[in-house]
Amino acid sequence: MILRKLIDIIREEGRDIQERLMLLVCTISTATLLCVFLLGVIFKENPTSLLMSGFGFALSVVIMYFCIKYNKIRLGAIIGGFLIVTVILPLTFFASGSIMGGAPVWFVFGAIFVFMTVHGKMRIVLLIVHFIVMAASYFIAYRYPDLITEHTVLFGYQDSFMSASLVSLVVGLMFEFSIRTFREENRRSENQRKEIDELNRAQNRFFSTMSHEIRTPINSIIGLNEMILREDISDEVKEDALNIQSASKLLLHIINDILDMSKIESGEMELKPAAYEVETMLSDLVSMIWIRAQEKALQFYVDVDPMLPAVLYGDELRIKQILINILTNAVKYTKEGSVTLSIQLEQKNDDQVNVIYTVSDTGIGIKKESIPYLFTAFKRVDTAENRHIEGTGLGLAIVKQFTELMNGSIKVNSVYMQGTTFVVEIPQRRVTDRNIGKLNLEQRHHQQVINRRAGDYHRVFEAPDAKILVVDDNSVNLLVVKKLLRDTKALISTAESGEEALQKTLADHYDLIFMDHLMPEMDGIECFHKLREQTGGQCKDSKVCVLTANAGSDHKAMYQSEGFDGCLVKPVSGRELEDEVLRLLPRQLVHILNEEASLSENLMIWQRGHHRKLPLLITTDSVCDLPREFLQTRRDILAVLPYHVCTEQGDFLDEIETESRGLITYMLSEGGTVRSVSPSVEEYEEFFSARLREANNIIHITTASGVSSGYANASDAARTFENVTVFNSGNVSSGMGFLVMEAVRMAREDQPADLILQTLQEMRSRIRTTFIVENTDYLARARRINPIVSKLTKAFMLHPLPVLTVKKDKMSVERICFGTKEKAWKKYITTAFNTTRPVDTSLLFITSAGLSQTELEEIEKEVRKNVSFEKIIFQNASSAISVNCGPGAFGLLFKTIS
């Protein structure tokens, strides 16, 4: 029974490895002592030695029985180690002939036993005791040889050989078990990672699918409700219809929250900045929130700085979403009193402004201990007080992500049961010198309601000779589109499948086709391509617009790359539908009834033709470790694709959703598994596709090909584009940044791409990239060194500081510095500049992870003792680099002269 339990514990995967190792060592040691005892009997060893062997065997059995029965394995290891070190080994030393037998080998075994089975402070104590006892044994044996039991020379050789053999076997089995266990742990961790990744992908697919399925009925509700508003109905019915419209929009925002969080977690979220009318955006916002506040009898105040520019350049959709989420929460958690939206302007320079949005309420407030979790996805604070309030727990998490994506900030001040204030600062660009002036948005909202009641729908055009085909597998959607386009007087035909659509296009010509994407049997994309290639088809050149419930910029980019002429996302309003019809129909078929249409037409051209493309754009990955100011001031010629930083809390975009100092704090405090992952081939493809709308050619600079999969993935993606060149920097971190800086400089001077690539190729061999690392655990996790090596150095209490370098596109350990951290740093700095080529003293990067200002100053002082650089840049390593090197690491990165 005890033996079975012993085997089960040793093989138990979830148990601590040191506990399993201790029992294995004890088992082997017990068997070894039994062998020693039996061999001693066979070779007629003296009674004292036999007694020691027998005593050791009995003691080992007792310790193992105690450990297993009472589950005190760690305590048993300490007791066993103490007895071995202080009793068994010294007695065996004197009983077996001291250095003339196998006793010295058993002292080695004792040290290994303590190293492998005991940890923490007790390991240090036992090792000190062990070496003291060993030294005392040698000293006493030397000074008092009479205490040593004499043996024959033959016995001494036999004992020495037998001890060496047994200890070798035991140590070998210990290391074999350790290596096998480490491999099992790695394999299990990898399997768990794959399972987690698959679960995340399944979750994202679920969210996307649910968003699509929910948008379809909402499209029907909003569309049919809009038709009610167009009719001559009573004020009461119109008021109800307006409330339905507002409620539908709020429901749509909840769906968008779920989809946005899914995109944020998968790293697919992108900003879409453009010029927008501030007054229009605020008017829509106030109209939406005012109804919710009125339902709860709350006062809703709006205070807008009259110096606010009338037109700003930013992501209007995301800014509005941020404010809607915060304002909706304010109304939701306020039982009585008021909600106030205040907007102020902070001028930064000529065209850069900081817009400060403040939302205050008189609601229940937030407990102090709950504030740190306020922006955590799916987390609702103070659930006991708020259990009757609906919500997904996603709103504020999305707000924070969007704010940080726009280089803004969000702060919260709250007193529990007294109210809450959120302050959001978002930097934007002024487009016009005209200011918004004094506004009364509350009065404007009331005027909008009056206008709606009076019937504010006006036909802007007619197209009685136009023929439009609508393809959708949902009959209600077909009905909605037909009704919304009824006033255009166009001839509307419908088809409920791709096959039916192809039959209609074979028989008749249509000037415009609205095509759903997800349909059974034949989806919209397949139908579109068959339409273009249809033999005898009459619509090969007709305009085709996607009308789909698949939301997201990634889908829009896909539809555009497939060749569609437009894209509308359900739910779609009558105005949006008419604007798209006006844009896509041939001009001779359209009769303009309202001059407003000409403006709408000009603004609805997919942003084509209004932006002069750059001749060459430099792109790179976020691991280039360049100063934030440099990256921000070169956005016109430089674009950066973020790596992924994967933690137990989720997947974050490097330097966008996470930064190195916060990540290091997490690594030190939480101790969780963190890894960096390069963008996938698909992400590179999407990135290149988007950037090629801005430039005719792209040079993308990646990290060394042997360090990450970034170069391979980018190269695979670049095969899709003839005008994208991927350059392997052969470096990492700011070493790669040197090449990016040079490429940007040459691109700004309009140097040709071939010359830039030639210059980079020559320059890459002159860049010296080295890092000194304080903790080998992070290198082991990143597979920069063998995990076994890291475990062994820790087991033997070694504290090496490895120096990493990049050679032949691979990161390797150049050398290892021992001693105190300060001495190791000085030695590293001194040897870093011992190069075969002269050092280029124009610029040095000191790129670090988690170092204090004092430490950086000491490093700079030591550097200047060796080389006098004209400029030194202290650069915080990106999150992806920090994951691999760990806190306390820094690198000296510079160029040499050819």
Side-chain angles (χ1 to χ4, degrees), residues 216-242:
T216 300
I218 290 181
N219 180 62
S220 303
I221 295 171
I222 293 179
L224 295 175
N225 187 70
E226 182 173 339
M227 296 308 301
I228 294 174
L229 287 169
R230 292 186 184 183
E231 301 296 330
D232 183 15
I233 54 180
S234 67
D235 289 346
E236 182 180 356
V237 173
K238 188 157 288 190
E239 185 70 28
D240 291 340
L242 288 172

PDB file of all heavy atoms in Angstrom, residues 216-242:
ATOM      1  N   THR A 216     -29.413  41.331 -37.983  1.00  0.00           N
ATOM      2  CA  THR A 216     -30.432  41.103 -39.014  1.00  0.00           C
ATOM      3  C   THR A 216     -31.826  41.506 -38.544  1.00  0.00           C
ATOM      4  O   THR A 216     -32.512  42.285 -39.213  1.00  0.00           O
ATOM      5  CB  THR A 216     -30.396  39.630 -39.461  1.00  0.00           C
ATOM      6  OG1 THR A 216     -29.101  39.337 -39.994  1.00  0.00           O
ATOM      7  CG2 THR A 216     -31.447  39.357 -40.517  1.00  0.00           C
ATOM      8  N   PRO A 217     -32.326  41.025 -37.390  1.00  0.00           N
ATOM      9  CA  PRO A 217     -33.655  41.496 -36.945  1.00  0.00           C
ATOM     10  C   PRO A 217     -33.669  42.974 -36.561  1.00  0.00           C
ATOM     11  O   PRO A 217     -34.689  43.648 -36.735  1.00  0.00           O
ATOM     12  CB  PRO A 217     -33.969  40.606 -35.737  1.00  0.00           C
ATOM     13  CG  PRO A 217     -32.662  40.066 -35.277  1.00  0.00           C
ATOM     14  CD  PRO A 217     -31.816  39.945 -36.493  1.00  0.00           C
ATOM     15  N   ILE A 218     -32.545  43.498 -36.042  1.00  0.00           N
ATOM     16  CA  ILE A 218     -32.512  44.926 -35.714  1.00  0.00           C
ATOM     17  C   ILE A 218     -32.663  45.757 -36.976  1.00  0.00           C
ATOM     18  O   ILE A 218     -33.299  46.815 -36.979  1.00  0.00           O
ATOM     19  CB  ILE A 218     -31.209  45.283 -34.975  1.00  0.00           C
ATOM     20  CG1 ILE A 218     -31.207  44.672 -33.572  1.00  0.00           C
ATOM     21  CG2 ILE A 218     -31.035  46.789 -34.867  1.00  0.00           C
ATOM     22  CD1 ILE A 218     -29.989  44.986 -32.785  1.00  0.00           C
ATOM     23  N   ASN A 219     -32.070  45.273 -38.061  1.00  0.00           N
ATOM     24  CA  ASN A 219     -32.217  45.966 -39.343  1.00  0.00           C
ATOM     25  C   ASN A 219     -33.686  46.091 -39.723  1.00  0.00           C
ATOM     26  O   ASN A 219     -34.148  47.144 -40.186  1.00  0.00           O
ATOM     27  CB  ASN A 219     -31.443  45.205 -40.421  1.00  0.00           C
ATOM     28  CG  ASN A 219     -31.544  45.870 -41.773  1.00  0.00           C
ATOM     29  OD1 ASN A 219     -31.106  46.998 -41.955  1.00  0.00           O
ATOM     30  ND2 ASN A 219     -32.143  45.172 -42.737  1.00  0.00           N
ATOM     31  N   SER A 220     -34.434  45.014 -39.489  1.00  0.00           N
ATOM     32  CA  SER A 220     -35.866  45.045 -39.803  1.00  0.00           C
ATOM     33  C   SER A 220     -36.601  46.024 -38.902  1.00  0.00           C
ATOM     34  O   SER A 220     -37.460  46.799 -39.357  1.00  0.00           O
ATOM     35  CB  SER A 220     -36.463  43.639 -39.652  1.00  0.00           C
ATOM     36  OG  SER A 220     -35.795  42.713 -40.475  1.00  0.00           O
ATOM     37  N   ILE A 221     -36.293  46.001 -37.611  1.00  0.00           N
ATOM     38  CA  ILE A 221     -36.970  46.893 -36.659  1.00  0.00           C
ATOM     39  C   ILE A 221     -36.724  48.354 -37.008  1.00  0.00           C
ATOM     40  O   ILE A 221     -37.649  49.160 -37.109  1.00  0.00           O
ATOM     41  CB  ILE A 221     -36.492  46.589 -35.225  1.00  0.00           C
ATOM     42  CG1 ILE A 221     -36.927  45.184 -34.801  1.00  0.00           C
ATOM     43  CG2 ILE A 221     -37.024  47.640 -34.247  1.00  0.00           C
ATOM     44  CD1 ILE A 221     -36.310  44.721 -33.496  1.00  0.00           C
ATOM     45  N   ILE A 222     -35.444  48.704 -37.222  1.00  0.00           N
ATOM     46  CA  ILE A 222     -35.111  50.099 -37.491  1.00  0.00           C
ATOM     47  C   ILE A 222     -35.666  50.538 -38.842  1.00  0.00           C
ATOM     48  O   ILE A 222     -36.199  51.641 -38.988  1.00  0.00           O
ATOM     49  CB  ILE A 222     -33.577  50.298 -37.426  1.00  0.00           C
ATOM     50  CG1 ILE A 222     -33.089  50.099 -35.976  1.00  0.00           C
ATOM     51  CG2 ILE A 222     -33.180  51.671 -37.937  1.00  0.00           C
ATOM     52  CD1 ILE A 222     -31.588  50.243 -35.802  1.00  0.00           C
ATOM     53  N   GLY A 223     -35.547  49.656 -39.847  1.00  0.00           N
ATOM     54  CA  GLY A 223     -36.018  50.022 -41.174  1.00  0.00           C
ATOM     55  C   GLY A 223     -37.521  50.229 -41.230  1.00  0.00           C
ATOM     56  O   GLY A 223     -38.003  51.244 -41.760  1.00  0.00           O
ATOM     57  N   LEU A 224     -38.270  49.277 -40.692  1.00  0.00           N
ATOM     58  CA  LEU A 224     -39.730  49.405 -40.715  1.00  0.00           C
ATOM     59  C   LEU A 224     -40.200  50.557 -39.832  1.00  0.00           C
ATOM     60  O   LEU A 224     -41.188  51.243 -40.142  1.00  0.00           O
ATOM     61  CB  LEU A 224     -40.367  48.089 -40.277  1.00  0.00           C
ATOM     62  CG  LEU A 224     -40.124  46.906 -41.228  1.00  0.00           C
ATOM     63  CD1 LEU A 224     -40.697  45.625 -40.648  1.00  0.00           C
ATOM     64  CD2 LEU A 224     -40.740  47.182 -42.599  1.00  0.00           C
ATOM     65  N   ASN A 225     -39.495  50.793 -38.727  1.00  0.00           N
ATOM     66  CA  ASN A 225     -39.845  51.915 -37.859  1.00  0.00           C
ATOM     67  C   ASN A 225     -39.621  53.242 -38.574  1.00  0.00           C
ATOM     68  O   ASN A 225     -40.382  54.202 -38.404  1.00  0.00           O
ATOM     69  CB  ASN A 225     -39.010  51.854 -36.579  1.00  0.00           C
ATOM     70  CG  ASN A 225     -39.438  52.886 -35.560  1.00  0.00           C
ATOM     71  OD1 ASN A 225     -40.502  52.791 -34.968  1.00  0.00           O
ATOM     72  ND2 ASN A 225     -38.601  53.893 -35.359  1.00  0.00           N
ATOM     73  N   GLU A 226     -38.565  53.296 -39.395  1.00  0.00           N
ATOM     74  CA  GLU A 226     -38.315  54.519 -40.155  1.00  0.00           C
ATOM     75  C   GLU A 226     -39.450  54.778 -41.144  1.00  0.00           C
ATOM     76  O   GLU A 226     -39.836  55.933 -41.376  1.00  0.00           O
ATOM     77  CB  GLU A 226     -36.983  54.408 -40.898  1.00  0.00           C
ATOM     78  CG  GLU A 226     -36.632  55.669 -41.669  1.00  0.00           C
ATOM     79  CD  GLU A 226     -35.246  55.625 -42.273  1.00  0.00           C
ATOM     80  OE1 GLU A 226     -34.405  54.838 -41.795  1.00  0.00           O
ATOM     81  OE2 GLU A 226     -35.011  56.386 -43.233  1.00  0.00           O
ATOM     82  N   MET A 227     -39.991  53.720 -41.725  1.00  0.00           N
ATOM     83  CA  MET A 227     -41.113  53.893 -42.644  1.00  0.00           C
ATOM     84  C   MET A 227     -42.350  54.430 -41.920  1.00  0.00           C
ATOM     85  O   MET A 227     -43.119  55.220 -42.471  1.00  0.00           O
ATOM     86  CB  MET A 227     -41.442  52.562 -43.327  1.00  0.00           C
ATOM     87  CG  MET A 227     -40.328  52.036 -44.223  1.00  0.00           C
ATOM     88  SD  MET A 227     -39.746  53.253 -45.427  1.00  0.00           S
ATOM     89  CE  MET A 227     -41.271  53.604 -46.321  1.00  0.00           C
ATOM     90  N   ILE A 228     -42.523  54.019 -40.660  1.00  0.00           N
ATOM     91  CA  ILE A 228     -43.637  54.554 -39.862  1.00  0.00           C
ATOM     92  C   ILE A 228     -43.465  56.059 -39.656  1.00  0.00           C
ATOM     93  O   ILE A 228     -44.416  56.843 -39.774  1.00  0.00           O
ATOM     94  CB  ILE A 228     -43.725  53.827 -38.503  1.00  0.00           C
ATOM     95  CG1 ILE A 228     -44.117  52.351 -38.715  1.00  0.00           C
ATOM     96  CG2 ILE A 228     -44.713  54.530 -37.575  1.00  0.00           C
ATOM     97  CD1 ILE A 228     -44.081  51.529 -37.453  1.00  0.00           C
ATOM     98  N   LEU A 229     -42.214  56.476 -39.364  1.00  0.00           N
ATOM     99  CA  LEU A 229     -41.943  57.890 -39.132  1.00  0.00           C
ATOM    100  C   LEU A 229     -42.178  58.725 -40.386  1.00  0.00           C
ATOM    101  O   LEU A 229     -42.438  59.930 -40.301  1.00  0.00           O
ATOM    102  CB  LEU A 229     -40.500  58.076 -38.640  1.00  0.00           C
ATOM    103  CG  LEU A 229     -40.224  57.633 -37.206  1.00  0.00           C
ATOM    104  CD1 LEU A 229     -38.733  57.620 -36.922  1.00  0.00           C
ATOM    105  CD2 LEU A 229     -40.941  58.542 -36.222  1.00  0.00           C
ATOM    106  N   ARG A 230     -42.071  58.120 -41.561  1.00  0.00           N
ATOM    107  CA  ARG A 230     -42.285  58.860 -42.808  1.00  0.00           C
ATOM    108  C   ARG A 230     -43.785  59.108 -43.080  1.00  0.00           C
ATOM    109  O   ARG A 230     -44.130  59.974 -43.872  1.00  0.00           O
ATOM    110  CB  ARG A 230     -41.687  58.101 -43.993  1.00  0.00           C
ATOM    111  CG  ARG A 230     -40.161  58.028 -43.987  1.00  0.00           C
ATOM    112  CD  ARG A 230     -39.675  57.380 -45.266  1.00  0.00           C
ATOM    113  NE  ARG A 230     -38.226  57.190 -45.265  1.00  0.00           N
ATOM    114  CZ  ARG A 230     -37.550  56.686 -46.301  1.00  0.00           C
ATOM    115  NH1 ARG A 230     -38.202  56.336 -47.399  1.00  0.00           N
ATOM    116  NH2 ARG A 230     -36.246  56.530 -46.223  1.00  0.00           N
ATOM    117  N   GLU A 231     -44.612  58.299 -42.429  1.00  0.00           N
ATOM    118  CA  GLU A 231     -46.050  58.398 -42.703  1.00  0.00           C
ATOM    119  C   GLU A 231     -46.676  59.567 -41.937  1.00  0.00           C
ATOM    120  O   GLU A 231     -46.091  60.104 -40.986  1.00  0.00           O
ATOM    121  CB  GLU A 231     -46.741  57.089 -42.312  1.00  0.00           C
ATOM    122  CG  GLU A 231     -46.217  55.861 -43.048  1.00  0.00           C
ATOM    123  CD  GLU A 231     -46.466  55.933 -44.543  1.00  0.00           C
ATOM    124  OE1 GLU A 231     -47.467  56.567 -44.954  1.00  0.00           O
ATOM    125  OE2 GLU A 231     -45.668  55.364 -45.314  1.00  0.00           O
ATOM    126  N   ASP A 232     -47.873  59.906 -42.338  1.00  0.00           N
ATOM    127  CA  ASP A 232     -48.640  60.960 -41.667  1.00  0.00           C
ATOM    128  C   ASP A 232     -49.379  60.316 -40.496  1.00  0.00           C
ATOM    129  O   ASP A 232     -50.494  59.800 -40.638  1.00  0.00           O
ATOM    130  CB  ASP A 232     -49.614  61.599 -42.651  1.00  0.00           C
ATOM    131  CG  ASP A 232     -50.380  62.767 -42.009  1.00  0.00           C
ATOM    132  OD1 ASP A 232     -49.933  63.234 -40.931  1.00  0.00           O
ATOM    133  OD2 ASP A 232     -51.411  63.184 -42.573  1.00  0.00           O
ATOM    134  N   ILE A 233     -48.754  60.327 -39.334  1.00  0.00           N
ATOM    135  CA  ILE A 233     -49.303  59.653 -38.159  1.00  0.00           C
ATOM    136  C   ILE A 233     -49.463  60.653 -37.021  1.00  0.00           C
ATOM    137  O   ILE A 233     -48.958  61.776 -37.075  1.00  0.00           O
ATOM    138  CB  ILE A 233     -48.392  58.490 -37.710  1.00  0.00           C
ATOM    139  CG1 ILE A 233     -46.966  58.991 -37.504  1.00  0.00           C
ATOM    140  CG2 ILE A 233     -48.419  57.350 -38.722  1.00  0.00           C
ATOM    141  CD1 ILE A 233     -45.993  57.927 -37.054  1.00  0.00           C
ATOM    142  N   SER A 234     -50.147  60.217 -35.978  1.00  0.00           N
ATOM    143  CA  SER A 234     -50.403  61.096 -34.832  1.00  0.00           C
ATOM    144  C   SER A 234     -49.120  61.362 -34.068  1.00  0.00           C
ATOM    145  O   SER A 234     -48.140  60.621 -34.162  1.00  0.00           O
ATOM    146  CB  SER A 234     -51.443  60.461 -33.909  1.00  0.00           C
ATOM    147  OG  SER A 234     -50.911  59.291 -33.315  1.00  0.00           O
ATOM    148  N   ASP A 235     -49.141  62.429 -33.258  1.00  0.00           N
ATOM    149  CA  ASP A 235     -47.974  62.777 -32.461  1.00  0.00           C
ATOM    150  C   ASP A 235     -47.628  61.665 -31.473  1.00  0.00           C
ATOM    151  O   ASP A 235     -46.447  61.393 -31.206  1.00  0.00           O
ATOM    152  CB  ASP A 235     -48.225  64.082 -31.697  1.00  0.00           C
ATOM    153  CG  ASP A 235     -48.242  65.286 -32.625  1.00  0.00           C
ATOM    154  OD1 ASP A 235     -47.800  65.134 -33.787  1.00  0.00           O
ATOM    155  OD2 ASP A 235     -48.695  66.363 -32.191  1.00  0.00           O
ATOM    156  N   GLU A 236     -48.647  61.030 -30.916  1.00  0.00           N
ATOM    157  CA  GLU A 236     -48.402  59.957 -29.936  1.00  0.00           C
ATOM    158  C   GLU A 236     -47.687  58.779 -30.589  1.00  0.00           C
ATOM    159  O   GLU A 236     -46.710  58.244 -30.056  1.00  0.00           O
ATOM    160  CB  GLU A 236     -49.723  59.497 -29.325  1.00  0.00           C
ATOM    161  CG  GLU A 236     -49.546  58.409 -28.261  1.00  0.00           C
ATOM    162  CD  GLU A 236     -50.862  57.971 -27.656  1.00  0.00           C
ATOM    163  OE1 GLU A 236     -51.913  58.568 -28.005  1.00  0.00           O
ATOM    164  OE2 GLU A 236     -50.836  57.024 -26.847  1.00  0.00           O
ATOM    165  N   VAL A 237     -48.156  58.379 -31.764  1.00  0.00           N
ATOM    166  CA  VAL A 237     -47.522  57.270 -32.477  1.00  0.00           C
ATOM    167  C   VAL A 237     -46.103  57.642 -32.889  1.00  0.00           C
ATOM    168  O   VAL A 237     -45.169  56.842 -32.795  1.00  0.00           O
ATOM    169  CB  VAL A 237     -48.363  56.863 -33.705  1.00  0.00           C
ATOM    170  CG1 VAL A 237     -47.625  55.816 -34.550  1.00  0.00           C
ATOM    171  CG2 VAL A 237     -49.717  56.338 -33.269  1.00  0.00           C
ATOM    172  N   LYS A 238     -45.943  58.906 -33.341  1.00  0.00           N
ATOM    173  CA  LYS A 238     -44.610  59.338 -33.756  1.00  0.00           C
ATOM    174  C   LYS A 238     -43.655  59.368 -32.575  1.00  0.00           C
ATOM    175  O   LYS A 238     -42.466  59.012 -32.702  1.00  0.00           O
ATOM    176  CB  LYS A 238     -44.713  60.725 -34.402  1.00  0.00           C
ATOM    177  CG  LYS A 238     -43.404  61.183 -35.034  1.00  0.00           C
ATOM    178  CD  LYS A 238     -43.624  62.232 -36.118  1.00  0.00           C
ATOM    179  CE  LYS A 238     -44.240  61.605 -37.349  1.00  0.00           C
ATOM    180  NZ  LYS A 238     -44.263  62.498 -38.522  1.00  0.00           N
ATOM    181  N   GLU A 239     -44.146  59.785 -31.409  1.00  0.00           N
ATOM    182  CA  GLU A 239     -43.300  59.775 -30.199  1.00  0.00           C
ATOM    183  C   GLU A 239     -42.872  58.359 -29.854  1.00  0.00           C
ATOM    184  O   GLU A 239     -41.723  58.094 -29.503  1.00  0.00           O
ATOM    185  CB  GLU A 239     -44.051  60.409 -29.042  1.00  0.00           C
ATOM    186  CG  GLU A 239     -43.234  60.555 -27.759  1.00  0.00           C
ATOM    187  CD  GLU A 239     -42.153  61.604 -27.896  1.00  0.00           C
ATOM    188  OE1 GLU A 239     -42.327  62.552 -28.691  1.00  0.00           O
ATOM    189  OE2 GLU A 239     -41.131  61.467 -27.214  1.00  0.00           O
ATOM    190  N   ASP A 240     -43.825  57.416 -29.953  1.00  0.00           N
ATOM    191  CA  ASP A 240     -43.489  56.013 -29.691  1.00  0.00           C
ATOM    192  C   ASP A 240     -42.463  55.499 -30.693  1.00  0.00           C
ATOM    193  O   ASP A 240     -41.528  54.767 -30.334  1.00  0.00           O
ATOM    194  CB  ASP A 240     -44.754  55.150 -29.766  1.00  0.00           C
ATOM    195  CG  ASP A 240     -45.717  55.434 -28.615  1.00  0.00           C
ATOM    196  OD1 ASP A 240     -45.250  55.985 -27.593  1.00  0.00           O
ATOM    197  OD2 ASP A 240     -46.911  55.117 -28.754  1.00  0.00           O
ATOM    198  N   ALA A 241     -42.624  55.877 -31.960  1.00  0.00           N
ATOM    199  CA  ALA A 241     -41.681  55.435 -32.991  1.00  0.00           C
ATOM    200  C   ALA A 241     -40.290  56.002 -32.741  1.00  0.00           C
ATOM    201  O   ALA A 241     -39.277  55.329 -32.956  1.00  0.00           O
ATOM    202  CB  ALA A 241     -42.183  55.836 -34.378  1.00  0.00           C
ATOM    203  N   LEU A 242     -40.233  57.251 -32.290  1.00  0.00           N
ATOM    204  CA  LEU A 242     -38.937  57.845 -31.963  1.00  0.00           C
ATOM    205  C   LEU A 242     -38.272  57.114 -30.800  1.00  0.00           C
ATOM    206  O   LEU A 242     -37.055  56.911 -30.787  1.00  0.00           O
ATOM    207  CB  LEU A 242     -39.113  59.330 -31.612  1.00  0.00           C
ATOM    208  CG  LEU A 242     -39.427  60.268 -32.777  1.00  0.00           C
ATOM    209  CD1 LEU A 242     -39.768  61.656 -32.247  1.00  0.00           C
ATOM    210  CD2 LEU A 242     -38.248  60.338 -33.732  1.00  0.00           C
TER     211      LEU A 242
END
